[in-house]
Amino acid sequence: MNWFILVIAGLCEVAFTTCLGKAKEAVGSLYWTWMGAFLFFLTLSMVLLYKATQTLPLGTAYAVWTGIGAVGTVLIGIVFFREPATFWRLFFIATLISSIVGLKFVSSH
């Protein structure tokens, strides 16, 4: 169950970074809406990460959380913010994903 919570925490990290990207492009009340969503997802992500670390090793949980956030944010950037999808970016994203999966398999919990 805590692995599921950790994945949700990582997805919330993707959400809060996406909100930052949208806030950067927004003006007026839309800016404050995106910043409010950023604060919501930031808080939820941190609370869920804390909950996951109650039974998972801290180092593993943090690495998986940041990995999910990094991979998700790069993919969101490519799809929605027109960031480049070069061979090397995709190669290192795949390497990061395999590292996250590897950490899950070698975790003692």
Side-chain angles (χ1 to χ4, degrees), residues 28-44:
S29 63
L30 191 56
Y31 167 82
W32 291 108
T33 301
W34 284 113
M35 288 306 291
F38 162 76
L39 291 173
F40 171 78
F41 284 113
L42 175 66
T43 303
L44 183 58

Side-chain angles (χ1 to χ4, degrees), residues 3-77:
W3 282 103
F4 177 74
I5 290 171
L6 185 60
V7 169
I8 298 302
L11 294 175
C12 287
E13 184 184 3
V14 175
F16 78 68
T17 57
T18 302
C19 290
L20 280 178
K22 296 301 280 184
K24 185 173 74 170
E25 299 173 348
V27 294
S29 63
L30 191 56
Y31 167 82
W32 291 108
T33 301
W34 284 113
M35 288 306 291
F38 162 76
L39 291 173
F40 171 78
F41 284 113
L42 175 66
T43 303
L44 183 58
S45 183
M46 294 297 156
V47 168
L48 293 174
L49 176 61
Y50 171 76
K51 175 70 176 150
T53 60
Q54 297 303 298
T55 59
L56 299 175
L58 179 62
T60 300
Y62 183 74
V64 170
W65 177 76
T66 57
I68 292 169
V71 169
T73 300
V74 169
L75 294 176
I76 292 290

Side-chain angles (χ1 to χ4, degrees), residues 3 57 59-67 96-109:
W3 282 103
T60 300
Y62 183 74
V64 170
W65 177 76
T66 57
L96 186 53
I97 292 169
S98 65
S99 297
I100 293 167
V101 171
L103 281 172
K104 165 122 178 51
F105 284 122
V106 300
S107 175
S108 61
H109 296 299

